Amino acid sequence: MLLVKDELLDGVLQSLVQQVDGPLAAIVRRTPLSVLAGCSRDGGQVRAWLTELDAPSELVGFCHALFANDDVGSDVRHGSYGDWQLLGGPISWHSTDAVLILVADPATPLVVCTTALESCLDICDRLSKVAHASVERYRLDDLVTDIATVLTGVSGHQLQTVLDSTLETICRMLGIDTCFLRRNDLEQRASILIAEWPRRQHVPDPDPLRTVPFDSDDPVFSSLETLAAPVLITPSSAQNRYQERIQVAIGGPAVSLAMVPLRPSDVTEGVLGFIHFGERAWTDAEIRALRVIAGLLAQVLARVDAEDRLHTLAYRDVLTGLPNRRVFLEEIANRLATTSTQPFTLLVVDLDRLKTTNDTFGHTAGDALITASAQRLSTACGKTDLVARLDGDEFVLILDSVTTAEAACHAATTILGDLRVPLMIGAQPIQRSASIGAVTSWQGASVHELMRSADMALLEAKSHGGDEVVIFDDILDQRTRRRGDLELRLGGAIDDGEFELFYQPEFDLRTRRITGVEALIRWNHPERGLLSADEFIPVAEQTNRIRRLGRWVTWQACTQLANWAHLSRENPIRMAVNVSPGEFLAVDFVDDLRAAIGATGIQPRSLCLEITESSVIRDIRTVVSTLHELRTLGVELAIDDFGTGHSSLAQLKDLPVDVLKIDRSFAMGIETDPSERAIVTGILGLAQSFNLDTVVEGVETEAAARILVDLGCIRAQGYLMAPAVSAASMTELLHNDRTLSHRSKLLTSRKHP
Ligand code: C2E
Ligand code: CA
Ligand code: CA
């Protein structure tokens, strides 16, 4: 009977059976003995061979008694089954792997039995040798195929688990005590442990095996940098330092070691190593198989590295190393998808005037600023928080522990403070600010809604000039929605004739007579009624609709002026028209104005164009040439909102302008704030020395009017006289004024014709 322990060896057994078939049959022929041969799976099925006998359980029990002693050697075992005598001998290629059993009836003399058994044992011996070779080949081929299959599909996040289980499989299959995989880190010039089996229970800290420099005094580790061929070390070989290190790290006796390099090209990338406590011999076939496995491991590690790099490219911002937009969107979606009701805060951070930094100090400085800001933002965040760079100068933060608007405001203000801390770029300290929009998440919010809200808050912060934190709330939401609606309807509204020009008189503060009018646009919004210019002009300016709207205003104003010409032929009405920078800088602006003047037949001198101080200063070079063209055309020019744009009069003195309109904030503060008075006095004095006329806006009270007159202000606008009114009402005002003027012509003391 032939029994085999290991189910893996079924295939081997089949070939054994064929080889012993002839010799055993001869023994059976020559003796009164039966030979039982067969195989068993872990005490399960027993296949009888060369005999008619079934294999009853007693026989199986006898076989297992043989197996139980792993080291049977060539002992012959005796047993009995009923009246039958049983003799057994081992076939072994590792330990006792199979048994051959002779069965004799009680009449057969023991000598015959023993002689027959001896021939059988010879056969067993031969079989053992053949089996040993083929079993090993069989096991190793299988091992390599199995490992190749597992490694082929492995992805980065499974890698560690698969490496661990691969090492375990190798150890178990080859009966080795421990196994490790190390990689060479060429930058650190060290060998790094990346997997081991079994995991050590007590790893010393620091772990002497984790990172071992190539220039270690241990000859084994120092060989790892360039290891090109397998190395075998046994307890008897003189690698004392290595044995010592292993004893410290593992706490075991002297060991046998096999190391196979991971060397897919002519660079050694790591090592696959095996440690067996005590002496162990390595066969050539084993080393060959381990080389193949090391090759497979090298391939997988290289592939996962490449995938990691691609992943980094796809998910990381190259400059700062922060997660990118994609990661951020995934993260925020995850947080919103979790059922937790705990809100979190989203901050959008935009560095102010990054372009100026780039222009002034160069792009390297700009990059340094971005990187430093990224670091500061990361430092400000907790472990579970996320900082990502969206693009250019824009970052986002998800703050998990910030759950209320007040806390968001506090956190954002702190972060803004961090970002303001000056940064050394070269020898130069650069201080930069940022704008931050924040929103706290609410139940049921979508990624889009949350982002949009934070962006709204950011835009609001930017629109105030930056260096500010704005928290999203309902008021901001409504305002933004209204803006969005205006933006959508603006184009159509021009075609549908929803715009109308209103006119506000400019008057002489002393005589209260009208000295001119200013055209101010209104929108008859079908749902929201009459909208004042402040509500939609900024929208038109930002969406490039201002050019079309401005052209409509110019033609409408010129037409109206022509209509009023009959009111006072010898004393034509002066009309001021506001011009946005976007219109003013357009190439056909002057031509179009010339056409409007020509078509309506108005006198160019009766038209005054108002441009704001800030836009003049911002684009002073381009503006100057247009101003000269307009001067040539004959229209008057005024600087609007003067005093708000931080320009000095000196900057304006060379510009071909005629009038300064002093911003309404001065007139409105003049009664209560003595410093406003001083500023107005200053502006008036300078204007006079540059030979410019002045108009004060926003005069609402008699008291303010009196103070202004005292300061020498004559021309004014404001609710004290009249707000902006429709063309029809203005016609009436003008008519009354001109009639009055006609009657008391001699009494008027108007400075301007
Ligand atoms: P602005 O040129 O400074 O116009 C004066 C603004 O102050 C007007 O607001 C006017 O209604 C308001 N105002 C007049 N008197 C007083 C007063 O005594 N007290 C107060 N508190 N306010 C007074 P409006 O019409 O809303 O225009 C706002 C701005 O929109 C204008 O400022 C001007 O810059 C721009 N704008 C108006 N119409 C047009 C236009 O047709 N084209 C362009 N491009 N911009 C325009
Ligand atoms: Ca104006
Ligand atoms: Ca103004």
Side-chain angles (χ1 to χ4, degrees):
M1 172 168 221
L2 185 66
L3 284 175
V4 179
K5 248 207 276 196
D6 195 328
E7 63 183 275
L8 255 180
L9 303 180
D10 234 10
V12 177
L13 183 77
Q14 294 307 325
S15 70
L16 284 185
V17 160
Q18 276 156 28
Q19 293 189 47
V20 293
D21 197 354
L24 287 181
I27 293 172
V28 172
R29 269 199 310 276
R30 277 188 276 115
T31 65
L33 299 172
S34 301
V35 176
L36 286 180
C39 76
S40 141
R41 297 183 170 206
D42 240 2
Q45 160 213 14
V46 173
R47 264 190 272 135
W49 175 70
L50 279 178
T51 173
E52 260 69 70
L53 284 178
D54 279 339
S57 53
E58 286 87 344
L59 278 182
V60 178
F62 177 64
C63 298
H64 282 283
L66 285 176
F67 283 142
N69 182 357
D70 250 0
D71 196 20
V72 185
S74 52
D75 276 6
V76 175
R77 294 288 161 117
H78 297 266
S80 59
Y81 167 52
D83 290 338
W84 299 88
Q85 307 176 61
L86 300 176
L87 290 118
I91 303 172
S92 52
W93 43 86
H94 280 310
S95 52
T96 305
D97 300 292
V99 288
L100 183 70
I101 301 170
L102 300 181
V103 185
D105 62 41
T108 311
L110 201 63
V111 193
V112 175
C113 291
T114 325
T115 339
L117 185 66
E118 260 152 24
S119 350
C120 282
L121 288 179
D122 274 353
I123 298 173
C124 286
D125 226 33
R126 248 175 47 216
L127 279 179
S128 294
K129 290 203 175 79
V130 176
H132 185 79
S134 61
V135 161
E136 185 177 42
R137 187 167 6 93
Y138 183 84
R139 279 173 175 258
L140 292 174
D141 285 356
D142 238 31
L143 179 66
V144 170
T145 318
D146 280 359
I147 289 177
T149 314
V150 175
L151 289 182
T152 310
V154 70
S155 62
H157 69 277
Q158 306 165 319
L159 184 68
Q160 193 61 53
T161 321
V162 169
L163 289 180
D164 291 347
S165 73
T166 302
L167 298 194
E168 178 177 358
T169 308
I170 303 174
C171 280
R172 286 196 190 283
M173 287 291 269
L174 302 188
I176 307 164
D177 294 324
T178 75
C179 175
F180 59 84
L181 181 64
R182 311 188 63 95
R183 288 192 91 177
N184 287 357
D185 184 329
L186 299 181
E187 251 169 54
Q188 274 193 67
R189 294 208 59 251
S191 161
I192 319 272
L193 181 69
I194 61 166
E196 61 180 339
W197 190 89
R199 287 252 171 104
R200 283 166 290 158
Q201 299 264 305
H202 306 289
V203 180
D205 187 20
D207 178 2
L209 294 180
R210 172 64 50 187
T211 303
V212 184
F214 294 142
D215 45 23
S216 140
D217 53 0
D218 177 331
V220 172
F221 281 105
S222 63
S223 72
L224 294 183
E225 183 172 16
T226 53
L227 191 71
V231 168
L232 306 175
I233 296 170
T234 56
S236 42
S237 56
Q239 300 285 9
N240 289 339
R241 284 204 180 281
Y242 179 75
Q243 298 283 7
E244 275 163 27
R245 188 187 285 267
I246 294 295
Q247 268 159 28
V248 171
I250 303 179
V255 296
S256 301
L257 167 78
M259 292 197 301
V260 185
L262 269 62
R263 202 173 146 93
S265 59
D266 49 6
V267 177
T268 307
E269 291 183 357
V271 63
L272 178 62
F274 301 91
I275 296 171
H276 196 79
F277 300 117
E279 206 73 49
R280 187 197 197 277
W282 303 87
T283 67
D284 289 349
E286 278 174 342
I287 297 299
R288 263 198 308 279
L290 292 177
R291 288 181 89 148
V292 176
I293 293 172
L296 289 170
L297 286 170
Q299 262 176 31
V300 166
L301 292 175
R303 198 197 74 219
V304 169
D305 275 358
E307 282 167 5
D308 269 2
R309 275 195 297 277
L310 280 179
H311 182 90
T312 306
L313 279 183
Y315 287 91
R316 291 268 153 187
D317 169 55
V318 182
L319 177 63
T320 59
L322 288 182
N324 62 11
R325 177 184 292 271
R326 190 162 157 184
V327 178
F328 161 70
L329 290 176
E330 281 171 16
E331 282 282 325
I332 197 169
N334 282 343
R335 279 177 173 71
L336 290 174
T338 54
T339 43
S340 147
T341 46
Q342 177 91 330
F344 60 87
T345 289
L346 171 67
L347 299 187
V348 188
V349 180
D350 192 297
L351 306 180
D352 292 335
R353 292 183 304 278
L354 180 70
K355 192 179 171 303
T356 324
T357 310
N358 281 334
D359 292 350
T360 324
F361 302 104
H363 279 265
T364 318
D367 285 356
L369 184 74
I370 290 170
T371 316
S373 306
Q375 266 157 13
R376 287 175 184 182
L377 292 174
S378 302
T379 318
C381 278
K383 265 211 179 72
T384 59
D385 295 342
L386 177 89
V387 191
R389 181 174 175 217
L390 291 194
D391 50 25
D393 49 3
E394 199 168 312
F395 297 88
V396 278
L397 284 79
I398 300 178
L399 304 179
D400 284 320
S401 55
V402 179
T403 57
T404 63
E406 296 75 55
C409 185
H410 180 75
T413 310
T414 311
I415 287 174
L416 186 58
D418 292 346
L419 292 174
R420 276 198 209 109
V421 175
L423 173 79
M424 291 304 286
I425 292 189
Q428 185 115 18
I430 298 188
Q431 190 185 15
R432 279 286 172 266
S433 58
S435 307
I436 303 183
V439 62
T440 303
S441 68
W442 61 91
Q443 199 70 37
S446 70
V447 174
H448 173 75
E449 285 169 333
L450 220 52
M451 271 309 280
R452 208 174 136 260
S453 308
D455 278 343
M456 276 182 209
L458 176 67
L459 270 178
E460 186 71 11
K462 284 247 148 199
S463 73
H464 300 158
D467 198 13
E468 195 178 296
V469 169
V470 171
I471 310 293
F472 177 81
D473 60 12
D474 289 346
I475 299 167
L476 179 59
D477 186 32
Q478 270 174 17
R479 198 176 334 141
T480 315
R481 280 177 203 284
R482 281 167 61 149
R483 258 185 86 97
D485 169 72
L486 293 183
E487 202 176 312
L488 271 178
R489 301 183 72 121
L490 205 64
I494 301 177
D495 299 331
D496 295 349
E498 287 175 12
F499 291 101
E500 184 179 345
L501 281 190
F502 269 42
Y503 301 91
Q504 186 182 31
E506 178 204 304
F507 58 97
D508 185 314
L509 275 174
R510 298 162 309 180
T511 63
R512 305 295 158 94
R513 302 288 311 280
I514 296 176
T515 50
V517 297
E518 176 176 5
L520 292 164
I521 193 168
R522 296 289 178 268
W523 181 352
N524 284 303
H525 192 284
E527 281 141 30
R528 290 171 35 199
L530 196 66
L531 302 181
S532 75
D534 265 342
E535 286 197 67
F536 60 88
I537 286 291
V539 182
E541 285 174 339
Q542 278 155 25
T543 54
N544 281 331
R545 291 257 162 62
I546 195 66
R547 181 76 196 101
R548 253 190 91 200
L549 198 59
R551 189 177 290 140
W552 179 85
V553 170
T554 312
W555 281 83
Q556 188 66 23
C558 291
T559 310
Q560 185 59 61
L561 203 51
N563 283 346
W564 281 331
H566 69 275
L567 286 174
S568 174
R569 298 236 171 256
E570 73 283 12
N571 187 12
I573 292 148
R574 288 174 55 261
M575 187 188 296
V577 173
N578 294 283
V579 181
S580 293
E583 311 172 51
F584 196 71
L585 297 174
V587 280
D588 58 349
F589 174 72
V590 179
D591 288 343
D592 191 56
L593 185 70
R594 188 182 291 112
I597 293 171
T600 53
I602 60 162
Q603 291 182 23
R605 199 64 199 160
S606 61
L607 201 62
C608 176
L609 299 186
E610 298 188 353
I611 44 174
T612 58
E613 180 194 354
S614 49
S615 64
V616 173
I617 295 304
R618 199 169 52 225
D619 301 296
I620 199 148
R621 285 206 195 95
T622 2
V623 163
V624 168
S625 67
T626 312
L627 288 178
H628 281 289
E629 280 184 69
L630 290 169
R631 189 32 91 68
T632 317
L633 194 62
V635 298
E636 244 192 4
L637 296 167
I639 303 279
D640 206 352
D641 302 343
F642 188 78
T644 54
H646 315 291
S647 58
S648 66
L649 261 181
Q651 280 178 287
L652 302 176
K653 76 176 185 335
D654 298 327
L655 293 177
V657 293
D658 310 276
V659 181
L660 285 188
K661 289 188 87 168
I662 300 169
D663 190 69
R664 64 172 178 259
S665 56
F666 295 101
M668 293 168 96
I670 207 158
E671 284 172 63
T672 49
D673 188 347
S675 66
E676 303 282 270
R677 232 176 280 188
I679 295 171
V680 173
T681 313
I683 295 175
L684 290 173
L686 278 166
Q688 204 172 22
S689 64
F690 292 136
N691 208 16
L692 297 172
D693 271 335
T694 46
V695 178
V696 189
E697 295 181 290
V699 182
E700 293 185 355
T701 62
E702 287 292 351
R706 264 197 307 278
I707 296 170
L708 287 163
V709 171
D710 286 348
L711 293 176
C713 247
I714 310 298
R715 293 166 66 182
Q717 255 175 277
Y719 297 163
L720 176 65
M721 175 82 172
V725 294
S726 68
S729 306
M730 192 68 223
T731 308
E732 207 172 317
L733 282 178
L734 282 170
H735 184 77
N736 293 344
D737 185 82
R738 297 292 138 142
T739 319
L740 190 68
S741 148
H742 191 68
R743 283 206 219 108
S744 53
K745 204 170 189 170
L746 292 172
L747 294 175
T748 55
S749 55
R750 285 155 66 187
K751 194 173 169 201
H752 289 275

